[in-house]
Amino acid sequence: MTRVFVYGTLKKGQPNYYRMFDSTNGKAEFLASACTTQKYPLVIANKYNIPFLLNIPGQGRRVQGEIYKVDDQMLKFLDDFEGVPTMYQRTLVELEVKEWVGEADGEKKPAMGSKVEAFVYSTTAYEPEWPSLPNYESYDSLWRSRASIRDQRRTRLRRAAQVKEGQHLKEISLKHTPFVLF
């Protein structure tokens, strides 16, 4: 069994999570929530809201995700699903455990804050501008739509406030403008 760290669409509550438990893909068991010990750029770089973890250690943020134990069949599926080796590469990464809930394979369960290793799917095949895109510590497929709704609300409130201020200013200027009668 192999440990894999997922940070994007394969996490709980995300669009591809079901693939982790489709028995035709192999076996997977949730072990823990964790974050990378090093910083990495996690960017959203296309119109499909797909996360890309750029393999640039030391830049970006510590990335939050989940550790799974997978069998060889699931590992092969994940390699195919992630487009290894052209789109993503599977590399070993050190993680800090946030909460370990799974079995520890006869070992003592890792405590919160302890370090473990797992494979992660990161990419070195990216557009030149991607490292300068906003970096995130956590991915949520609804992020863009939630952010969009939030931004639209803020824009409407800002416009409404500007309109009120503008009307208020007009009322003040009319009240305080001296009128001269001829």
Side-chain angles (χ1 to χ4, degrees):
M1 298 290 268
T2 305
R3 289 182 186 165
V4 175
F5 176 69
V6 298
Y7 55 84
T9 65
L10 292 167
K11 289 190 315 183
K12 290 178 185 175
Q14 300 306 310
N16 289 311
Y17 175 65
Y18 73 95
R19 296 175 190 275
M20 297 296 287
F21 297 98
D22 181 342
S23 61
T24 61
N25 297 334
K27 293 180 184 173
E29 178 189 337
F30 175 75
L31 295 177
S33 57
C35 69
T36 59
T37 57
Q38 288 194 54
K39 294 178 179 181
Y40 289 90
L42 174 60
V43 300
I44 312 301
N46 67 20
K47 65 182 179 180
Y48 300 108
N49 197 17
I50 297 172
F52 293 90
L53 184 70
L54 307 185
N55 194 351
I56 310 174
Q59 289 186 24
R61 300 171 185 243
R62 293 179 63 195
V63 178
Q64 309 287 324
E66 301 167 350
I67 303 171
Y68 289 84
K69 179 171 58 174
V70 301
D71 66 5
D72 290 341
Q73 183 180 343
M74 178 61 79
L75 191 61
K76 166 100 174 77
F77 168 79
L78 291 172
D79 283 353
D80 292 342
F81 179 75
E82 298 290 4
V84 171
T86 54
M87 186 168 178
Y88 288 96
Q89 297 77 45
R90 179 168 33 102
T91 55
L92 208 53
V93 67
E94 184 180 62
L95 304 164
E96 179 182 321
V97 172
K98 297 295 180 189
E99 181 183 16
W100 194 279
V101 296
E103 294 298 316
D105 293 331
E107 302 171 17
K108 184 178 175 187
K109 281 188 179 183
M112 184 173 89
S114 63
K115 309 291 188 267
V116 298
E117 288 186 330
F119 283 106
V120 66
Y121 292 94
S122 62
T123 187
T124 56
Y126 50 83
E127 299 297 321
E129 68 275 5
W130 287 12
S132 62
L133 291 173
N135 289 245
Y136 302 94
E137 64 182 30
S138 183
Y139 170 81
D140 184 339
S141 64
L142 298 176
W143 163 81
R144 187 158 287 176
S145 59
R146 286 181 186 154
S148 176
I149 291 167
R150 197 176 316 116
D151 290 345
Q152 289 171 5
R153 260 192 222 130
R154 284 183 186 149
T155 300
R156 280 196 304 270
L157 290 172
R158 200 175 309 118
R159 284 184 185 151
Q162 288 169 347
V163 167
K164 282 184 179 180
E165 283 179 23
Q167 288 174 348
H168 180 68
L169 291 174
K170 286 178 188 173
E171 290 170 12
I172 290 172
S173 64
L174 287 175
K175 287 180 185 175
H176 299 291
T177 303
F179 290 96
V180 179
L181 296 172
F182 293 95

